């Protein structure tokens, strides 16, 4: 048995009931294989560094569990074909790690305005 964590990125337009179904399905797979469900930490909606499937945001979930390797293989296979899952990453947990809480979101950069009255906007051609 190994300790794992999955960072799950779900489509922000996905209904909350469907998101809960996906997470419950993963929990059932872990528990039916003799593993233990150690926790679920919803991190909420966050901006992506780059668009995935034309989406600029995703809903992040951190899933923590202990299971055999075969169960992790099955879970990752299911996540690859599940609608509403934008991305997922499965990793072995570092012993003694306690980074379950979501990191603080970085503030969005302020939009920059074009300088008013630039030389190209004068409407007159210079020769």
């Amino acid at each position: 048995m190994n300790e794992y964590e999955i960072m799950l990125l779900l489509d922000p337009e996905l209904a909350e009931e469907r998101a809960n179904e996906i997470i419950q399905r993963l929990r059932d797979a872990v528990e039916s294989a003799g593993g233990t469900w150690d926790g679920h930490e919803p991190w909420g909606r966050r901006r992506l560094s780059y668009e995935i499937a034309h989406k600029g945001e995703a809903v992040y979930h951190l899933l923590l569990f202990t299971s055999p390797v075969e169960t992790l293989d099955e879970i990752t296979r299911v996540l690859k074909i599940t609608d509403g899952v934008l991305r997922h990453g499965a990793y072995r947990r570092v012993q003694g790690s306690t980074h379950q809480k979501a990191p603080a979101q970085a503030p969005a950069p302020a939009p920059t305005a074009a300088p008013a009255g630039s030389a190209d906007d004068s409407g007159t051609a210079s020769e």
Side-chain angles (χ1 to χ4, degrees):
M1 295 281 222
N2 295 317
E3 294 182 348
Y4 296 107
E5 61 185 37
I6 292 180
M7 179 56 70
L8 184 63
L9 280 67
L10 298 177
D11 187 336
E13 297 172 3
L14 193 66
E16 188 172 338
E17 296 82 26
R18 177 67 180 133
N20 292 335
E21 286 174 19
I22 292 170
I23 294 167
Q24 186 61 44
R25 182 175 179 187
L26 299 178
R27 183 176 185 159
D28 292 343
V30 167
E31 291 174 346
S32 68
T36 59
W37 186 260
D38 300 331
H40 166 226
E41 185 70 33
W43 284 13
R45 179 178 252 178
R46 294 175 171 262
R47 185 172 174 86
L48 298 171
S49 296
Y50 57 90
E51 287 189 356
I52 301 173
H54 303 290
K55 309 278 185 201
E57 294 181 331
V59 180
Y60 285 62
H61 295 271
L62 179 64
L63 311 175
L64 306 164
F65 59 95
T66 304
S67 73
V69 175
E70 298 79 20
T71 304
L72 179 66
D73 293 341
E74 177 62 17
I75 288 173
T76 56
R77 184 192 70 78
V78 167
L79 287 174
K80 286 179 186 176
I81 60 174
T82 302
D83 290 338
V85 175
L86 295 179
R87 288 282 191 279
H88 70 280
Y91 311 98
R92 282 189 68 175
R93 270 191 281 170
V94 176
Q95 295 296 325
S97 69
T98 58
H99 61 280
Q100 296 178 9
K101 298 294 179 198
Q105 287 187 348
T112 57
S118 64
D120 294 342
D121 294 345
S122 63
T124 60
S126 60
E127 296 186 34

